[in-house]
Amino acid sequence: MPLDLNAMPKAELHMHLEGALEPELMFKLARRNGIELPFPDVDSLRSAYSFGNLQAFLNLFFQGAEVLRTEDDFYDLTRAYVAKCRDQNVTHVEPFFDPQTHTGRGVPMAAVIRGITRALAEAHEDWGLSYGLILCFLRHLSEDAAQHALDAALPFRDHFVGVGLDSSESGFPPSKFRNVFARARDLGLHAVAHAGEEGPPSYVWEALDELGVVRVDHGVRAMEDRSLVQRLQREQMPLTVCPLSNVRLKVYDSMAQHPVLDMLEQGLKVTVNSDDPAYFGGYLTENFAALREGLGMSDEQAVRLAENSFDAALPGLAVNR
Ligand code: ADE
Ligand code: ZN
């Protein structure tokens, strides 16, 4: 009997809550908030989920997020995600949220953070999910804007444990955000950043050396730089790899080309994650299943990847494993 990938306990360290907005919930929230979506129905929206690159996806992702207006909307979104976690035996999560995507449209920071943390805290109470929330800065905006986002979130400092960096990568190097990351680290927040998804290996070096990250999100393009790979091996720097996302966003042509198992066998601290599960064809179990199907992942490799996901949790969290 092959290992049951769904029943295997696992942690998710790289997912964007806004990326868990399934079309059905998007339509429901649009109706609730009196918003007209530019798609007639759920099926036509889903059929638009074909992306040539990261930017093509982000355009739809930001448009979809516009239905999120109230604290209850963020609660419903997060509740749907944690329900999936329960179904898939994901016992620890460190989700991202993008406050600037919402505050830029006039949604109060309080509504965003309170809605998200209400659902996370309930899942903790109800069935023992452990979690740490990560506030991401949008890298296509300025460092000043990131500083303002951090200011606005500080009244809720006890609701999040880290800061991250996401959105369009190419042309927006991590070094642009060195000051706001330094301030966040001074506040006791952990730093992570997307680097080496579409951007070059130099962005991974910058995330390490200029942002002081404790984990690199994606990082797959680090494989192009031998001395970077050696450093990541030596430091056992966790890399939160997102297989279905990388294929959907054409980082690789097919799962058969994905390097995640080679990375694992080279002794890199890789983990498997869903990134934006509503847009990329699945949650954590589906990502593991795609590795078995497309790359012949063994049960032993699956277990090692799951163990890595717990080992790579942010320091200081009580992790349920
Ligand atoms: N925001 C949501 N998903 C993202 C990704 N894969 N890369 C960068 N920013 C994102
Ligand atoms: Zn991501």
Side-chain angles (χ1 to χ4, degrees), residues 199-221:
S202 64
Y203 285 20
V204 179
W205 286 106
E206 285 187 18
L208 296 170
D209 291 332
E210 306 212 33
L211 303 188
V213 298
V214 295
R215 218 158 58 200
V216 174
D217 296 315
H218 293 291
V220 288
R221 286 200 57 198

Side-chain angles (χ1 to χ4, degrees), residues 283-300:
Y283 291 76
L284 207 41
T285 296
E286 288 81 6
N287 272 273
F288 274 95
L291 298 185
R292 176 181 274 166
E293 169 80 24
L295 283 173
M297 175 186 68
S298 68
D299 289 354
E300 180 272 325

Side-chain angles (χ1 to χ4, degrees), residues 91-272:
T91 60
H92 177 79
V93 295
E94 296 180 8
F96 301 135
F97 73 114
D98 284 343
Q100 291 162 289
T101 298
H102 314 299
T103 54
R105 300 178 287 116
V107 178
M109 183 69 83
V112 179
I113 296 185
R114 288 211 177 102
I116 291 170
T117 51
R118 178 151 55 97
L120 292 170
E122 258 181 32
H124 176 70
E125 290 297 311
D126 290 350
W127 58 276
L129 177 74
S130 57
Y131 64 89
L133 184 62
I134 300 175
L135 181 160
C136 277
F137 303 118
L138 296 177
R139 70 202 301 159
H140 68 271
L141 301 180
S142 68
E143 185 178 53
D144 254 11
Q147 295 277 20
H148 287 306
L150 184 55
D151 291 338
L154 282 186
F156 308 95
R157 168 66 187 84
D158 55 335
H159 292 252
F160 57 103
V161 296
V163 294
L165 187 65
D166 65 3
S167 184
S168 321
E169 187 179 7
S170 298
F172 303 101
S175 52
K176 181 181 156 189
F177 295 91
R178 63 169 74 87
N179 298 310
V180 69
F181 269 71
R183 180 158 78 103
R185 284 188 283 105
D186 283 346
L187 288 162
L189 291 158
H190 300 294
V192 300
H194 284 54
E197 177 184 18
E198 282 191 351
S202 64
Y203 285 20
V204 179
W205 286 106
E206 285 187 18
L208 296 170
D209 291 332
E210 306 212 33
L211 303 188
V213 298
V214 295
R215 218 158 58 200
V216 174
D217 296 315
H218 293 291
V220 288
R221 286 200 57 198
M223 298 308 283
E224 297 166 25
D225 180 337
R226 191 65 214 150
S227 63
L228 178 56
V229 170
Q230 286 168 347
R231 175 171 179 187
L232 296 169
Q233 286 165 330
R234 197 170 55 243
E235 296 183 1
Q236 285 293 285
M237 177 61 59
L239 306 174
T240 62
V241 175
C242 306
L244 283 175
S245 165
N246 292 155
V247 174
R248 288 297 185 103
L249 298 185
K250 310 280 193 295
V251 176
Y252 302 101
D253 290 338
S254 71
M255 197 56 80
Q257 262 120 61
H258 202 289
V260 61
L261 296 184
D262 295 333
M263 296 167 79
L264 181 69
E265 295 311 325
Q266 288 183 38
L268 290 167
K269 194 90 185 155
V270 288
T271 67
V272 174

Side-chain angles (χ1 to χ4, degrees), residues 85-96:
C85 291
R86 187 175 196 176
D87 289 347
Q88 297 196 342
N89 208 16
V90 179
T91 60
H92 177 79
V93 295
E94 296 180 8
F96 301 135

Side-chain angles (χ1 to χ4, degrees), residues 5-72:
L5 297 171
N6 196 65
M8 174 178 72
K10 44 203 175 289
E12 176 144 72
L13 307 178
H14 180 163
M15 72 80 58
H16 305 259
L17 285 167
E18 295 88 348
L21 181 57
E22 293 285 349
E24 289 77 9
L25 183 57
M26 197 188 296
F27 271 85
K28 181 178 157 188
L29 299 184
R31 265 193 311 277
R32 187 153 97 188
N33 291 323
I35 296 164
E36 179 109 35
L37 288 172
F39 297 92
D41 53 40
V42 162
D43 290 337
S44 59
L45 173 57
R46 261 214 180 84
S47 65
Y49 289 179
S50 160
F51 313 110
N53 55 33
L54 174 59
Q55 192 57 52
F57 156 69
L58 288 171
N59 295 341
L60 216 62
F61 169 88
F62 289 126
Q63 183 180 81
E66 288 183 25
V67 303
L68 297 160
R69 295 277 166 96
T70 68
E71 179 179 326
D72 281 347

